[in-house]
Every structure is written in C-alpha cells, then in structure tokens.
Amino acid sequence: MDFENKTALITGAASGMGYLTGKCFVREGGNAVLTDINPETLEKAVSSLNEIRSGSAVGVVCDVRDYAQVCNARDCAVEAFGSIDLLVTMAGGAETRIKNAHGEFPDIPIDVYDWGLDVNLKGQFYFDHAVAKQMREQKSGVIINIGSITGEEGSPDAVAYSASKSAAMNGLVKSVAQFGMPHGIRCCCVAPGPVLTRPGMANMKTLMGRAAQPQEIVDLILYLASDKGAFITGTTFLIDGGRNIMFNKL
C-alpha cells in the first residue's frame, strides 16, 4: 500500500488507533496531519512521527465539536501538504465512561449525552462536511468514519454512543458516498468490536475468544484507503471477531 505524496488527516490522533493510523501512513510514504484536543500529547505524537521521516507530520489542536476549529484543521492540512487524500475520524468514545457518569438512562444528565452526540456523531459529520469541500476541488479522496459494535448491540447506558455509531453513522457514510462518487470521493465506515486499546476490552467476549490488536483495525483502514480498496464505497465493515453473531455475549 503506497501512500507516497498522499496526506492523511486523522482526528483523535494523539494516541491509540488514531496515532497508530498516522504512524503506519507515514511509514508507507505518506504525510499525516494529526488533530487532537490535548496539545501536550499531540506534540509528542507529532514529534514521534517526524522521527520516522522528518517533515512528515504536523499537529493541529482541534475540538471536533467546534466547526470553525474543524475547518481550521482542514485548512492547516492543505497549507502544510497541498491536499487531503484520506480523512479518518477516529475521535470519539462512550460518553458514560469518559464522563464517569453512572446510572440508568433517565438518570444520566442530559449534558453527558449531548457530549456523546456532539463528539461521536456531529464531530464526524463536521469533518466529513469540511473536508469534502477540499476533496471535491481535488476530484479525489477517501473518507473513513469510525463506528462500533455497540452500534449493533445497543447499550443501556451509553445510549448516545450507540445511537451515533449505528444507523446514524450508516446513513452518513452512504450519503457521503453518494455525494462523493461523481467527484472521485469514496466513503466507508470501519466498526470495531473490542480492541486492546485499554485493559477492559479484554473482558468483552467474541466468537474468536479474544479482542483485536489495534494494528488489525488499522490494517483494514489502510486497505480501504489504498488503491486496493478502489472498488469499495458506501459500506460499513464490522471487524469484531464474530461478536455480533454470538448468541450470548454477556
């Protein structure tokens, strides 16, 4: 998978799978624009990628809930490298876990759910909208949105996360793919099951009896972004070790 002279814009990229995506993209000859809300962690991530190849990465502090900041990240990417060939919207997470909110659905404060919808749905929508303008001018580009097995299963507490990662994401991807095809733009969704980005994921059951390694998810993203995936658009790929077909997941 040759990404020489190609540029990837990746959200939530200071750590985890976002960072790993950028690292792999740079190793395959591309440039990476990392965005994250945490400036200190972001600076370290960018420095690490530039150690692989000097000048291959830049960082932009960005809150995905703020459309002006999203547009600024897009503009910084184009200014730095001239194009955006791949967008990966990795920023997100279950609102009840991240906000440390516990209780039944009606008892969890609505601002927790607002945060979940803003980050997991609107954040991806904002980046798709902003970057599509650049890709339309280029007449090329690949957009990879990130779903989740939770979108298939539902969740009794992380309701906003589940709603964002299910039909909403499926509709977004199909719609952007339909818009994009006349302009040479493809759009897909990668929806992981449990991934070993944190210890708790190892406790989630799968048909294969294990959680995924982060590299396994990133490999699928890079395949879809490459010329090998050139005939793929408008599709959600569930990569969950068979969790979704298990009869008893609890």
Side-chain angles (χ1 to χ4, degrees):
M1 289 180 282
D2 182 9
F3 295 116
E4 188 173 358
N5 298 321
K6 298 290 183 69
T7 299
L9 174 58
I10 307 164
T11 74
S15 61
M17 288 190 292
Y19 169 73
L20 182 59
T21 301
K23 182 177 181 180
C24 291
F25 199 83
V26 166
R27 283 180 169 171
E28 294 292 338
N31 303 309
V33 180
L34 310 184
T35 79
D36 204 277
I37 201 170
N38 187 322
E40 292 81 12
T41 309
L42 180 62
E43 183 178 357
K44 293 177 182 178
V46 170
S47 296
S48 175
L49 296 195
N50 281 323
E51 288 177 4
I52 298 173
R53 193 175 76 253
S54 179
S56 64
V58 298
V60 184
V61 177
C62 179
D63 184 339
V64 300
R65 300 172 297 173
D66 186 326
Y67 187 69
Q69 292 187 39
V70 170
C71 290
N72 178 64
R74 174 201 61 199
D75 295 343
C76 287
V78 175
E79 182 179 352
F81 297 114
S83 67
I84 302 173
D85 304 287
L86 171 63
L87 169 66
V88 183
T89 53
M90 196 68 74
E95 65 278 357
T96 46
R97 175 180 61 83
I98 292 174
K99 292 295 185 179
N100 196 28
H102 305 285
E104 292 190 323
F105 172 51
D107 303 320
I108 292 173
I110 198 64
D111 64 307
V112 173
Y113 288 127
D114 280 339
W115 185 94
L117 291 169
D118 286 347
V119 171
N120 294 298
L121 178 56
K122 289 176 67 176
Q124 299 197 74
F125 191 105
Y126 281 0
F127 263 93
D128 287 5
H129 183 268
V131 172
K133 296 179 181 179
Q134 172 63 27
M135 290 182 172
R136 182 175 60 185
E137 291 182 12
Q138 299 169 187
K139 296 295 183 183
S140 65
V142 180
I143 296 172
I144 307 293
N145 291 145
I146 304 299
S148 171
I149 182 62
T150 306
E152 298 292 324
E153 297 177 338
S155 171
D157 51 4
V159 178
Y161 181 73
S162 178
S164 300
K165 299 290 190 177
S166 58
M169 193 53 53
N170 190 44
L172 175 62
V173 166
K174 288 181 177 180
S175 299
V176 174
Q178 290 174 21
F179 148 76
M181 190 43 49
H183 306 289
I185 303 168
R186 295 189 292 112
C187 183
C188 297
C189 177
V190 171
V195 186
L196 291 173
T197 51
R198 52 189 178 85
M201 288 291 195
N203 299 323
M204 290 181 66
K205 294 181 179 180
T206 69
L207 197 63
M208 291 185 174
R210 65 175 180 86
Q213 294 293 332
Q215 188 66 56
E216 293 177 288
I217 310 303
V218 172
D219 285 346
L220 176 57
I221 291 171
L222 295 178
Y223 176 85
L224 293 172
S226 75
D227 290 341
K228 295 179 184 294
F231 197 57
I232 303 171
T233 193
T235 305
T236 294
F237 293 86
L238 189 59
I239 176 169
D240 69 338
R243 179 176 171 85
N244 195 48
I245 61 171
M246 293 177 66
F247 293 107
N248 181 11
K249 307 179 190 115
L250 301 178

